[in-house]
Amino acid sequence: IVSTAYRTQVASDPTRIPRTVSIGPLVSMSALEVTVEEWMQFIVDNRFASSLFPDENALPGSTYKMLFAALKNADHERYFKVARNGDVIPKYSWWVRQDKKDSGGMPLNYPITGITYEQAIRFCKWKEQKINEDRAPERQISIGLPSIETYKGLIENIDSLGHGKEPCWNFRFNYRHPACDDGHHRPIPQGQEPVRADAYWPSKLGLYNLQGNAAEMTATPGVAMGGSYRHYAWQSHRDQVQTYSKPEEWLGFRYVVTKKSVQ
């Protein structure tokens, strides 16, 4: 159920597009890291352009590689269908991990990684154009990568400890940590691989995985923030950066939405 207050806020703030939260006056940010599913839609909308596919050598697992391999060749019709509105729909529900603790299926709602800074910029421009297509001039928005200063103002420096009776229970975010057990003799992906973009508790503003999971590109090329599942907890703090020069299995992004000034 969408509250009246929320409807009013969205109506008065054109930056509040789906999957975003407000981080300031007429400025919103994607609540989640950009997901594999969103990146698939980006590829399909651009007629399967080969330049938009992630680097298969920088994807975090075989399931990711199989997914994009299927999308890249004729097999995509076997696994996906494209709706009349252009949405990409998987034909088999098991491709989507429904449960936050489920480790089976395909990682459609996991963060996209293995991409370049230039590809991320193209995604932002594509999404901006799609949102602005049917909008009046006074409701036009811009979408781009967040600045380093934006991240410094949003990262909460949450601690690195679990809060259960055992040290490997109830982690607060996904960061590098020795393999451990969930108490039922089953391995958990904590610090071993990406998890769902909506895993763990969100920040006070409603931003998921701002620390850990996938380090996030900033508007400054080669500089990411927030740490990843490959980084220690302290490396996710607001005074730390991660540098990169190529696609990485631990590197993704989210975007900010601002209002365009009317000329």
Side-chain angles (χ1 to χ4, degrees):
I1 298 175
V2 180
S3 68
T4 301
Y6 179 79
R7 291 179 186 274
T8 302
Q9 184 180 24
V10 171
S12 62
D13 183 356
T15 71
R16 289 299 306 278
I17 64 176
R19 293 190 175 191
T20 64
V21 296
S22 176
I23 61 171
L26 297 180
V27 182
S28 296
M29 177 180 265
S30 50
L32 312 177
E33 300 149 326
V34 171
T35 64
V36 169
E37 185 174 26
E38 290 177 288
W39 197 264
M40 283 170 46
Q41 187 69 64
F42 173 46
I43 289 174
V44 172
D45 273 10
N46 286 277
R47 301 185 178 185
F48 300 89
S50 59
S51 61
L52 303 182
F53 279 80
D55 183 342
E56 65 177 16
N57 295 315
L59 289 171
S62 60
T63 52
Y64 292 77
K65 295 176 183 179
M66 184 170 69
L67 176 65
F68 284 105
L71 195 64
K72 200 168 191 177
N73 56 45
D75 284 349
H76 73 259
E77 295 181 356
R78 177 182 173 187
Y79 297 111
F80 309 99
K81 59 183 178 181
V82 180
R84 289 184 178 180
N85 63 358
D87 287 347
V88 181
I89 304 170
K91 290 184 177 179
Y92 304 105
S93 60
W94 53 268
W95 280 55
V96 184
R97 301 182 185 181
Q98 299 292 345
D99 191 323
K100 292 184 180 182
K101 296 181 180 179
D102 186 8
S103 60
M106 279 297 196
L108 296 182
N109 43 21
Y110 283 46
I112 182 65
T113 60
I115 58 172
T116 66
Y117 174 88
E118 291 74 21
Q119 286 176 316
I121 293 295
R122 287 183 66 180
F123 175 94
C124 291
K125 292 304 177 185
W126 163 78
K127 192 166 189 70
E128 177 184 311
Q129 290 172 356
K130 285 183 69 71
I131 297 297
N132 285 333
E133 279 177 357
D134 301 316
R135 288 194 169 202
E138 66 274 11
R139 291 185 60 78
Q140 297 280 298
I141 52 90
S142 295
I143 294 179
L145 296 177
S147 68
I148 292 174
E149 290 305 312
T150 296
Y151 276 105
K152 286 183 176 181
L154 293 174
I155 293 174
E156 296 179 345
N157 285 8
I158 59 177
D159 66 47
S160 61
L161 303 176
H163 289 277
K165 296 180 181 179
E166 302 296 332
C168 287
W169 289 11
N170 299 325
F171 285 98
R172 299 184 66 188
F173 62 102
N174 188 22
Y175 62 93
R176 185 174 180 180
H177 187 278
C180 59
D181 193 275
D182 68 353
H184 299 282
H185 307 292
R186 296 176 302 201
I188 58 175
Q190 170 67 39
Q192 310 301 310
E193 62 184 59
V195 296
R196 285 175 57 123
D198 61 351
Y200 300 92
W201 292 102
S203 71
K204 294 174 183 176
L205 290 178
L207 300 165
Y208 287 83
N209 287 302
L210 197 61
Q211 290 179 241
N213 211 30
E216 299 174 12
M217 298 179 190
T218 69
T220 302
V223 178
M225 294 189 72
S228 75
Y229 70 97
R230 291 287 192 185
H231 294 90
Y232 291 109
W234 63 269
Q235 292 175 294
S236 72
H237 289 185
R238 68 176 71 96
D239 61 345
Q240 300 293 315
V241 300
Q242 292 77 52
T243 58
Y244 65 94
S245 59
K246 59 183 177 59
E248 300 286 358
E249 65 180 24
W250 48 263
L251 179 65
F253 73 105
R254 76 178 72 215
Y255 53 83
V256 288
V257 187
T258 55
K259 187 177 183 298
K260 278 187 176 180
S261 58
V262 179
Q263 300 297 324

